[in-house]
Structure formats: C-alpha cells, structure tokens
Amino acid sequence: MSESPESRRSERVAILPLRNSVLFPMSVVPINVGRPRSVRLVEELESGGALVGVVAQRDPNVVEPSFEDLFMVGTLARVVKVIRINATSYSVVLNGVGRFHVTNPLGLEPYMRAEVVRTIEPTLDDAEGERLAGMLRDKTRQALSLMPDLPKETAGILDNVREPGALADLIASNFPEELASVPVRQRVLEAEDVAARVGLVSKMLDRQLESL
C-alpha cells in the first residue's frame, strides 16, 4: 500500500505553468518562456541544475494563471540550460525528474511557488511488468510503421526502457500534439497506478491504429 501524498515530506519549489503541453518524467524538452512571472522565475534560477515544478494549465488562453487555473499534478524538472532569446523571453531546456502533487500554494509573486510532494513510483512484479511493456512496444511499433510523422528515435528507445510506467510516459510524451490533447496527456501523468497508466496509453494507441 502506497503512502498518501500528505504523509510524505514536502518541498518548496517555484512553479512554471505550461500553456499547451504536459511535461513527463524522463523527457528532455525546450520550453519558450515569455510571460512576466515565468521570466522572473527563470532570471532567478541558479545556473543549471535548479529544480522547478512544471504544471499544465487547464485553459491555455489564461495569460497569467492562478493556482485555480492549473492542474494539481505536475513534473519536477531539472533545468539543463537557459538561453536568452531576446529582452523579454528565454528558451529553457528541462529534464523531467518525477511526478508531484501540489499540496499548498504559497503565492503568485514574484513568480508562482508551492509546497509539493513527490510521487513514489509503484513497482510491479517482473512478469506483469514485462507483459505490459511488451504490449505497449508491439502497439507502438504498429503505429510507427503506419505513421511517418512520429519521431523515428522513439522506435530505438522502446527497447532501452524496460519499466512499463516509464515506457508509457515516453510514448505519451512523443505522441503528436494533434493526436493527444493536454487533458488526455494530463490523465496519463496523473495515473500513479502503472497498470492504469499503461491502459490509458494503450487506448491512445488503439484510437490511432483504428484511424490509420
């Protein structure tokens, strides 16, 4: 039986809201930052290695979101690189580390901050894990063979990721935006139970295979 989020140690982190995407653990992605609060956050970051909490917005049209405008499950991310684009915007390369729950919003200024608790990834027995991972690999290979637009590197990574929960995250993060909306990806991120997460990604693949 897993611990409840409230029983685990909390951490205070700066929160970086994303308008149109969901960051997953193990993903390395560049994010363009131009909103005033987010710019202030980036400018205060220690050079490289800082941790930030990355959370998707419920409505991408909200310019400066409050905590009511955000989902409460996000991804803790290490800042790999910060590149200044111009006087008012940056490109920030983020490396997803793990899931977290927002337990206590701390404020909006000068940028969003909150207390969070990290999610403990549950483990499966080897046979069940291998069965779920094998099913996801087979469906993803089918989709890749029919979809020239999916990133080709996804096929190579499939064999290197053994854990089914991490494999589900990898596939969801590489799905084209037009095929998996933010709410769909967010449901995958919020699925702490590995079998449930694999099931959600499997359904995403089934829908895509049917349309193909």
Side-chain angles (χ1 to χ4, degrees):
M1 190 169 143
S2 63
E3 300 174 86
S4 69
E6 293 75 18
S7 67
R8 294 181 220 135
R9 186 174 62 83
S10 65
E11 303 170 57
R12 294 186 170 209
V13 296
I15 299 292
L16 180 65
L18 296 187
R19 258 184 159 147
N20 294 298
S21 60
V22 176
L23 178 70
F24 283 89
M26 292 179 64
S27 295
V28 179
V29 294
I31 302 290
N32 285 339
V33 172
R35 293 185 282 184
R37 280 185 201 142
S38 297
V39 166
R40 288 195 290 270
L41 187 166
V42 169
E43 289 178 343
E44 279 198 23
L45 288 174
E46 298 167 20
S47 55
L51 285 175
V52 296
V54 181
V55 187
Q57 289 183 206
R58 297 176 184 277
D59 179 357
N61 296 314
V62 176
V63 178
E64 283 289 16
S66 65
F67 281 94
E68 289 75 26
D69 300 307
L70 303 182
F71 292 101
M72 289 292 100
V73 174
T75 298
L76 207 61
R78 197 168 301 286
V79 177
V80 179
K81 187 186 290 186
V82 177
I83 303 160
R84 189 169 199 131
I85 298 173
N86 55 42
T88 58
S89 63
Y90 293 84
S91 176
V92 182
V93 180
L94 299 171
N95 179 10
V97 175
R99 289 165 166 78
F100 67 81
H101 289 257
V102 174
T103 55
N104 183 28
L106 295 175
L108 303 177
E109 300 296 342
Y111 44 78
M112 301 184 89
R113 290 160 291 112
E115 286 185 354
V116 306
V117 290
R118 301 193 197 204
T119 301
I120 307 299
E121 186 80 1
T123 54
L124 297 174
D125 68 69
D126 291 347
E128 177 66 359
E130 197 48 55
R131 183 188 72 78
L132 291 171
M135 178 192 68
L136 277 184
R137 282 193 194 93
D138 291 344
K139 287 187 180 183
T140 306
R141 286 200 181 93
Q142 277 182 271
L144 284 168
S145 69
L146 298 166
M147 294 173 67
D149 294 338
L150 272 184
K152 287 290 174 278
E153 60 268 20
T154 308
I157 298 168
L158 285 177
D159 292 324
N160 297 328
V161 181
R162 309 310 305 172
E163 206 281 310
L167 189 60
D169 286 345
L170 171 76
I171 295 164
S173 67
N174 279 284
F175 236 71
E177 296 277 342
E178 64 274 13
L179 301 177
S181 65
V182 165
V184 170
R185 291 171 196 261
Q186 182 67 26
R187 282 198 291 276
V188 175
L189 187 69
E190 291 179 4
E192 290 184 31
D193 179 80
V194 172
R197 191 186 314 162
V198 168
L200 287 168
V201 174
S202 179
K203 283 177 186 167
M204 284 167 61
L205 289 163
D206 286 341
R207 283 195 297 272
Q208 189 51 29
L209 287 167
E210 280 170 23
S211 68
L212 291 167

PDB file of all heavy atoms in Angstrom, residues 97-125:
ATOM      1  N   VAL A  97      12.081  14.901 -13.964  1.00  0.00           N
ATOM      2  CA  VAL A  97      12.676  14.035 -12.941  1.00  0.00           C
ATOM      3  C   VAL A  97      11.632  13.088 -12.349  1.00  0.00           C
ATOM      4  O   VAL A  97      11.886  11.899 -12.170  1.00  0.00           O
ATOM      5  CB  VAL A  97      13.311  14.887 -11.817  1.00  0.00           C
ATOM      6  CG1 VAL A  97      13.814  14.012 -10.684  1.00  0.00           C
ATOM      7  CG2 VAL A  97      14.439  15.744 -12.379  1.00  0.00           C
ATOM      8  N   GLY A  98      10.443  13.611 -12.018  1.00  0.00           N
ATOM      9  CA  GLY A  98       9.423  12.761 -11.415  1.00  0.00           C
ATOM     10  C   GLY A  98       8.139  13.525 -11.153  1.00  0.00           C
ATOM     11  O   GLY A  98       8.118  14.758 -11.174  1.00  0.00           O
ATOM     12  N   ARG A  99       7.058  12.790 -10.910  1.00  0.00           N
ATOM     13  CA  ARG A  99       5.755  13.406 -10.646  1.00  0.00           C
ATOM     14  C   ARG A  99       5.694  14.022  -9.255  1.00  0.00           C
ATOM     15  O   ARG A  99       6.390  13.590  -8.351  1.00  0.00           O
ATOM     16  CB  ARG A  99       4.658  12.332 -10.737  1.00  0.00           C
ATOM     17  CG  ARG A  99       4.376  11.828 -12.129  1.00  0.00           C
ATOM     18  CD  ARG A  99       3.578  10.533 -12.071  1.00  0.00           C
ATOM     19  NE  ARG A  99       3.012  10.204 -13.364  1.00  0.00           N
ATOM     20  CZ  ARG A  99       3.707   9.664 -14.361  1.00  0.00           C
ATOM     21  NH1 ARG A  99       4.990   9.378 -14.201  1.00  0.00           N
ATOM     22  NH2 ARG A  99       3.116   9.398 -15.520  1.00  0.00           N
ATOM     23  N   PHE A 100       4.771  15.000  -9.104  1.00  0.00           N
ATOM     24  CA  PHE A 100       4.497  15.543  -7.776  1.00  0.00           C
ATOM     25  C   PHE A 100       3.044  16.004  -7.703  1.00  0.00           C
ATOM     26  O   PHE A 100       2.383  16.217  -8.721  1.00  0.00           O
ATOM     27  CB  PHE A 100       5.434  16.707  -7.432  1.00  0.00           C
ATOM     28  CG  PHE A 100       5.235  17.948  -8.265  1.00  0.00           C
ATOM     29  CD1 PHE A 100       4.209  18.852  -7.971  1.00  0.00           C
ATOM     30  CD2 PHE A 100       6.060  18.230  -9.339  1.00  0.00           C
ATOM     31  CE1 PHE A 100       4.012  19.994  -8.723  1.00  0.00           C
ATOM     32  CE2 PHE A 100       5.870  19.378 -10.113  1.00  0.00           C
ATOM     33  CZ  PHE A 100       4.847  20.258  -9.802  1.00  0.00           C
ATOM     34  N   HIS A 101       2.557  16.169  -6.467  1.00  0.00           N
ATOM     35  CA  HIS A 101       1.265  16.789  -6.192  1.00  0.00           C
ATOM     36  C   HIS A 101       1.519  18.153  -5.565  1.00  0.00           C
ATOM     37  O   HIS A 101       2.364  18.270  -4.682  1.00  0.00           O
ATOM     38  CB  HIS A 101       0.466  15.976  -5.177  1.00  0.00           C
ATOM     39  CG  HIS A 101      -0.054  14.678  -5.701  1.00  0.00           C
ATOM     40  ND1 HIS A 101      -1.373  14.490  -6.057  1.00  0.00           N
ATOM     41  CD2 HIS A 101       0.567  13.493  -5.927  1.00  0.00           C
ATOM     42  CE1 HIS A 101      -1.536  13.243  -6.476  1.00  0.00           C
ATOM     43  NE2 HIS A 101      -0.379  12.617  -6.405  1.00  0.00           N
ATOM     44  N   VAL A 102       0.774  19.166  -6.001  1.00  0.00           N
ATOM     45  CA  VAL A 102       0.778  20.447  -5.299  1.00  0.00           C
ATOM     46  C   VAL A 102      -0.087  20.280  -4.049  1.00  0.00           C
ATOM     47  O   VAL A 102      -1.253  19.906  -4.137  1.00  0.00           O
ATOM     48  CB  VAL A 102       0.206  21.579  -6.179  1.00  0.00           C
ATOM     49  CG1 VAL A 102       0.076  22.873  -5.366  1.00  0.00           C
ATOM     50  CG2 VAL A 102       1.085  21.812  -7.403  1.00  0.00           C
ATOM     51  N   THR A 103       0.491  20.508  -2.878  1.00  0.00           N
ATOM     52  CA  THR A 103      -0.272  20.351  -1.635  1.00  0.00           C
ATOM     53  C   THR A 103      -0.625  21.686  -0.986  1.00  0.00           C
ATOM     54  O   THR A 103      -1.591  21.765  -0.235  1.00  0.00           O
ATOM     55  CB  THR A 103       0.522  19.506  -0.621  1.00  0.00           C
ATOM     56  OG1 THR A 103       1.811  20.096  -0.422  1.00  0.00           O
ATOM     57  CG2 THR A 103       0.681  18.071  -1.107  1.00  0.00           C
ATOM     58  N   ASN A 104       0.159  22.739  -1.300  1.00  0.00           N
ATOM     59  CA  ASN A 104      -0.094  24.021  -0.649  1.00  0.00           C
ATOM     60  C   ASN A 104       0.456  25.166  -1.505  1.00  0.00           C
ATOM     61  O   ASN A 104       1.667  25.388  -1.527  1.00  0.00           O
ATOM     62  CB  ASN A 104       0.555  24.040   0.738  1.00  0.00           C
ATOM     63  CG  ASN A 104       0.264  25.324   1.484  1.00  0.00           C
ATOM     64  OD1 ASN A 104      -0.764  25.963   1.272  1.00  0.00           O
ATOM     65  ND2 ASN A 104       1.182  25.730   2.350  1.00  0.00           N
ATOM     66  N   PRO A 105      -0.403  25.889  -2.227  1.00  0.00           N
ATOM     67  CA  PRO A 105       0.072  27.055  -2.967  1.00  0.00           C
ATOM     68  C   PRO A 105       0.642  28.098  -2.000  1.00  0.00           C
ATOM     69  O   PRO A 105       0.049  28.364  -0.958  1.00  0.00           O
ATOM     70  CB  PRO A 105      -1.192  27.580  -3.654  1.00  0.00           C
ATOM     71  CG  PRO A 105      -2.125  26.411  -3.696  1.00  0.00           C
ATOM     72  CD  PRO A 105      -1.843  25.634  -2.448  1.00  0.00           C
ATOM     73  N   LEU A 106       1.792  28.678  -2.354  1.00  0.00           N
ATOM     74  CA  LEU A 106       2.450  29.631  -1.450  1.00  0.00           C
ATOM     75  C   LEU A 106       2.375  31.075  -1.932  1.00  0.00           C
ATOM     76  O   LEU A 106       2.614  31.992  -1.156  1.00  0.00           O
ATOM     77  CB  LEU A 106       3.918  29.238  -1.253  1.00  0.00           C
ATOM     78  CG  LEU A 106       4.170  27.913  -0.542  1.00  0.00           C
ATOM     79  CD1 LEU A 106       5.653  27.594  -0.535  1.00  0.00           C
ATOM     80  CD2 LEU A 106       3.619  27.949   0.885  1.00  0.00           C
ATOM     81  N   GLY A 107       2.074  31.289  -3.204  1.00  0.00           N
ATOM     82  CA  GLY A 107       1.995  32.669  -3.689  1.00  0.00           C
ATOM     83  C   GLY A 107       2.213  32.752  -5.181  1.00  0.00           C
ATOM     84  O   GLY A 107       2.675  31.802  -5.823  1.00  0.00           O
ATOM     85  N   LEU A 108       1.860  33.921  -5.737  1.00  0.00           N
ATOM     86  CA  LEU A 108       1.955  34.154  -7.180  1.00  0.00           C
ATOM     87  C   LEU A 108       3.089  35.094  -7.559  1.00  0.00           C
ATOM     88  O   LEU A 108       3.516  35.123  -8.709  1.00  0.00           O
ATOM     89  CB  LEU A 108       0.632  34.736  -7.702  1.00  0.00           C
ATOM     90  CG  LEU A 108      -0.641  33.921  -7.457  1.00  0.00           C
ATOM     91  CD1 LEU A 108      -1.856  34.679  -7.982  1.00  0.00           C
ATOM     92  CD2 LEU A 108      -0.532  32.549  -8.123  1.00  0.00           C
ATOM     93  N   GLU A 109       3.566  35.909  -6.614  1.00  0.00           N
ATOM     94  CA  GLU A 109       4.591  36.905  -6.926  1.00  0.00           C
ATOM     95  C   GLU A 109       5.851  36.668  -6.108  1.00  0.00           C
ATOM     96  O   GLU A 109       5.756  36.215  -4.967  1.00  0.00           O
ATOM     97  CB  GLU A 109       4.045  38.321  -6.638  1.00  0.00           C
ATOM     98  CG  GLU A 109       2.800  38.701  -7.432  1.00  0.00           C
ATOM     99  CD  GLU A 109       3.023  38.767  -8.932  1.00  0.00           C
ATOM    100  OE1 GLU A 109       4.211  38.848  -9.361  1.00  0.00           O
ATOM    101  OE2 GLU A 109       2.039  38.729  -9.667  1.00  0.00           O
ATOM    102  N   PRO A 110       7.033  36.952  -6.641  1.00  0.00           N
ATOM    103  CA  PRO A 110       7.291  37.458  -7.993  1.00  0.00           C
ATOM    104  C   PRO A 110       7.040  36.413  -9.080  1.00  0.00           C
ATOM    105  O   PRO A 110       6.977  36.736 -10.261  1.00  0.00           O
ATOM    106  CB  PRO A 110       8.776  37.845  -7.947  1.00  0.00           C
ATOM    107  CG  PRO A 110       9.357  36.948  -6.892  1.00  0.00           C
ATOM    108  CD  PRO A 110       8.271  36.751  -5.875  1.00  0.00           C
ATOM    109  N   TYR A 111       6.906  35.129  -8.654  1.00  0.00           N
ATOM    110  CA  TYR A 111       6.511  34.043  -9.556  1.00  0.00           C
ATOM    111  C   TYR A 111       5.795  33.007  -8.701  1.00  0.00           C
ATOM    112  O   TYR A 111       5.803  33.079  -7.464  1.00  0.00           O
ATOM    113  CB  TYR A 111       7.726  33.440 -10.276  1.00  0.00           C
ATOM    114  CG  TYR A 111       8.918  33.194  -9.393  1.00  0.00           C
ATOM    115  CD1 TYR A 111       8.980  32.086  -8.541  1.00  0.00           C
ATOM    116  CD2 TYR A 111       9.995  34.081  -9.392  1.00  0.00           C
ATOM    117  CE1 TYR A 111      10.066  31.875  -7.706  1.00  0.00           C
ATOM    118  CE2 TYR A 111      11.099  33.872  -8.566  1.00  0.00           C
ATOM    119  CZ  TYR A 111      11.129  32.774  -7.727  1.00  0.00           C
ATOM    120  OH  TYR A 111      12.202  32.566  -6.905  1.00  0.00           O
ATOM    121  N   MET A 112       5.165  32.038  -9.339  1.00  0.00           N
ATOM    122  CA  MET A 112       4.377  31.045  -8.609  1.00  0.00           C
ATOM    123  C   MET A 112       5.279  30.138  -7.775  1.00  0.00           C
ATOM    124  O   MET A 112       6.332  29.699  -8.244  1.00  0.00           O
ATOM    125  CB  MET A 112       3.547  30.203  -9.580  1.00  0.00           C
ATOM    126  CG  MET A 112       2.599  31.013 -10.428  1.00  0.00           C
ATOM    127  SD  MET A 112       1.550  29.992 -11.499  1.00  0.00           S
ATOM    128  CE  MET A 112       0.153  29.705 -10.401  1.00  0.00           C
ATOM    129  N   ARG A 113       4.843  29.875  -6.520  1.00  0.00           N
ATOM    130  CA  ARG A 113       5.591  28.984  -5.637  1.00  0.00           C
ATOM    131  C   ARG A 113       4.596  28.112  -4.886  1.00  0.00           C
ATOM    132  O   ARG A 113       3.472  28.529  -4.610  1.00  0.00           O
ATOM    133  CB  ARG A 113       6.410  29.789  -4.621  1.00  0.00           C
ATOM    134  CG  ARG A 113       7.591  30.560  -5.212  1.00  0.00           C
ATOM    135  CD  ARG A 113       8.066  31.680  -4.307  1.00  0.00           C
ATOM    136  NE  ARG A 113       7.079  32.752  -4.228  1.00  0.00           N
ATOM    137  CZ  ARG A 113       6.388  33.049  -3.136  1.00  0.00           C
ATOM    138  NH1 ARG A 113       6.568  32.379  -1.999  1.00  0.00           N
ATOM    139  NH2 ARG A 113       5.508  34.031  -3.147  1.00  0.00           N
ATOM    140  N   ALA A 114       5.018  26.885  -4.569  1.00  0.00           N
ATOM    141  CA  ALA A 114       4.105  25.971  -3.870  1.00  0.00           C
ATOM    142  C   ALA A 114       4.890  24.922  -3.098  1.00  0.00           C
ATOM    143  O   ALA A 114       6.060  24.648  -3.393  1.00  0.00           O
ATOM    144  CB  ALA A 114       3.177  25.277  -4.873  1.00  0.00           C
ATOM    145  N   GLU A 115       4.219  24.358  -2.088  1.00  0.00           N
ATOM    146  CA  GLU A 115       4.729  23.151  -1.448  1.00  0.00           C
ATOM    147  C   GLU A 115       4.209  21.962  -2.243  1.00  0.00           C
ATOM    148  O   GLU A 115       3.028  21.915  -2.611  1.00  0.00           O
ATOM    149  CB  GLU A 115       4.248  23.062   0.002  1.00  0.00           C
ATOM    150  CG  GLU A 115       4.951  24.025   0.927  1.00  0.00           C
ATOM    151  CD  GLU A 115       4.545  23.834   2.382  1.00  0.00           C
ATOM    152  OE1 GLU A 115       3.623  23.028   2.650  1.00  0.00           O
ATOM    153  OE2 GLU A 115       5.137  24.500   3.243  1.00  0.00           O
ATOM    154  N   VAL A 116       5.093  21.011  -2.510  1.00  0.00           N
ATOM    155  CA  VAL A 116       4.727  19.835  -3.298  1.00  0.00           C
ATOM    156  C   VAL A 116       5.274  18.586  -2.616  1.00  0.00           C
ATOM    157  O   VAL A 116       6.201  18.667  -1.802  1.00  0.00           O
ATOM    158  CB  VAL A 116       5.289  19.927  -4.743  1.00  0.00           C
ATOM    159  CG1 VAL A 116       4.865  21.233  -5.406  1.00  0.00           C
ATOM    160  CG2 VAL A 116       6.819  19.802  -4.770  1.00  0.00           C
ATOM    161  N   VAL A 117       4.685  17.445  -2.938  1.00  0.00           N
ATOM    162  CA  VAL A 117       5.256  16.166  -2.513  1.00  0.00           C
ATOM    163  C   VAL A 117       5.460  15.299  -3.745  1.00  0.00           C
ATOM    164  O   VAL A 117       4.605  15.262  -4.641  1.00  0.00           O
ATOM    165  CB  VAL A 117       4.381  15.419  -1.479  1.00  0.00           C
ATOM    166  CG1 VAL A 117       4.380  16.124  -0.151  1.00  0.00           C
ATOM    167  CG2 VAL A 117       2.976  15.212  -1.991  1.00  0.00           C
ATOM    168  N   ARG A 118       6.609  14.645  -3.774  1.00  0.00           N
ATOM    169  CA  ARG A 118       6.918  13.778  -4.912  1.00  0.00           C
ATOM    170  C   ARG A 118       6.096  12.489  -4.853  1.00  0.00           C
ATOM    171  O   ARG A 118       5.801  11.977  -3.777  1.00  0.00           O
ATOM    172  CB  ARG A 118       8.399  13.427  -4.927  1.00  0.00           C
ATOM    173  CG  ARG A 118       9.301  14.630  -5.010  1.00  0.00           C
ATOM    174  CD  ARG A 118      10.716  14.215  -5.335  1.00  0.00           C
ATOM    175  NE  ARG A 118      11.662  15.283  -5.032  1.00  0.00           N
ATOM    176  CZ  ARG A 118      12.848  15.407  -5.606  1.00  0.00           C
ATOM    177  NH1 ARG A 118      13.251  14.515  -6.486  1.00  0.00           N
ATOM    178  NH2 ARG A 118      13.654  16.395  -5.270  1.00  0.00           N
ATOM    179  N   THR A 119       5.765  11.984  -6.017  1.00  0.00           N
ATOM    180  CA  THR A 119       5.039  10.719  -6.130  1.00  0.00           C
ATOM    181  C   THR A 119       6.034   9.573  -6.138  1.00  0.00           C
ATOM    182  O   THR A 119       7.042   9.619  -6.852  1.00  0.00           O
ATOM    183  CB  THR A 119       4.218  10.694  -7.440  1.00  0.00           C
ATOM    184  OG1 THR A 119       3.314  11.785  -7.428  1.00  0.00           O
ATOM    185  CG2 THR A 119       3.450   9.398  -7.579  1.00  0.00           C
ATOM    186  N   ILE A 120       5.770   8.550  -5.341  1.00  0.00           N
ATOM    187  CA  ILE A 120       6.604   7.345  -5.349  1.00  0.00           C
ATOM    188  C   ILE A 120       6.100   6.417  -6.441  1.00  0.00           C
ATOM    189  O   ILE A 120       4.922   6.042  -6.454  1.00  0.00           O
ATOM    190  CB  ILE A 120       6.543   6.620  -3.982  1.00  0.00           C
ATOM    191  CG1 ILE A 120       6.874   7.601  -2.844  1.00  0.00           C
ATOM    192  CG2 ILE A 120       7.475   5.415  -3.971  1.00  0.00           C
ATOM    193  CD1 ILE A 120       8.237   8.214  -2.913  1.00  0.00           C
ATOM    194  N   GLU A 121       6.968   6.069  -7.387  1.00  0.00           N
ATOM    195  CA  GLU A 121       6.574   5.187  -8.491  1.00  0.00           C
ATOM    196  C   GLU A 121       6.396   3.762  -7.969  1.00  0.00           C
ATOM    197  O   GLU A 121       7.332   3.154  -7.449  1.00  0.00           O
ATOM    198  CB  GLU A 121       7.654   5.208  -9.578  1.00  0.00           C
ATOM    199  CG  GLU A 121       7.301   4.459 -10.830  1.00  0.00           C
ATOM    200  CD  GLU A 121       6.377   5.234 -11.768  1.00  0.00           C
ATOM    201  OE1 GLU A 121       6.000   6.382 -11.468  1.00  0.00           O
ATOM    202  OE2 GLU A 121       6.026   4.679 -12.803  1.00  0.00           O
ATOM    203  N   PRO A 122       5.171   3.196  -8.065  1.00  0.00           N
ATOM    204  CA  PRO A 122       4.970   1.829  -7.578  1.00  0.00           C
ATOM    205  C   PRO A 122       5.676   0.815  -8.476  1.00  0.00           C
ATOM    206  O   PRO A 122       5.928   1.083  -9.648  1.00  0.00           O
ATOM    207  CB  PRO A 122       3.450   1.647  -7.638  1.00  0.00           C
ATOM    208  CG  PRO A 122       2.986   2.639  -8.655  1.00  0.00           C
ATOM    209  CD  PRO A 122       3.965   3.775  -8.644  1.00  0.00           C
ATOM    210  N   THR A 123       6.007  -0.326  -7.917  1.00  0.00           N
ATOM    211  CA  THR A 123       6.684  -1.366  -8.702  1.00  0.00           C
ATOM    212  C   THR A 123       5.726  -2.525  -8.969  1.00  0.00           C
ATOM    213  O   THR A 123       4.828  -2.805  -8.179  1.00  0.00           O
ATOM    214  CB  THR A 123       7.921  -1.896  -7.961  1.00  0.00           C
ATOM    215  OG1 THR A 123       7.513  -2.330  -6.653  1.00  0.00           O
ATOM    216  CG2 THR A 123       8.971  -0.815  -7.811  1.00  0.00           C
ATOM    217  N   LEU A 124       5.937  -3.178 -10.095  1.00  0.00           N
ATOM    218  CA  LEU A 124       5.162  -4.363 -10.457  1.00  0.00           C
ATOM    219  C   LEU A 124       6.076  -5.578 -10.392  1.00  0.00           C
ATOM    220  O   LEU A 124       7.298  -5.456 -10.466  1.00  0.00           O
ATOM    221  CB  LEU A 124       4.628  -4.234 -11.889  1.00  0.00           C
ATOM    222  CG  LEU A 124       3.641  -3.104 -12.177  1.00  0.00           C
ATOM    223  CD1 LEU A 124       3.363  -3.051 -13.664  1.00  0.00           C
ATOM    224  CD2 LEU A 124       2.345  -3.310 -11.416  1.00  0.00           C
ATOM    225  N   ASP A 125       5.483  -6.781 -10.280  1.00  0.00           N
ATOM    226  CA  ASP A 125       6.340  -7.962 -10.356  1.00  0.00           C
ATOM    227  C   ASP A 125       6.850  -8.102 -11.792  1.00  0.00           C
ATOM    228  O   ASP A 125       6.256  -7.590 -12.742  1.00  0.00           O
ATOM    229  CB  ASP A 125       5.608  -9.228  -9.890  1.00  0.00           C
ATOM    230  CG  ASP A 125       4.490  -9.647 -10.829  1.00  0.00           C
ATOM    231  OD1 ASP A 125       4.805 -10.078 -11.957  1.00  0.00           O
ATOM    232  OD2 ASP A 125       3.304  -9.554 -10.437  1.00  0.00           O
TER     233      ASP A 125
END
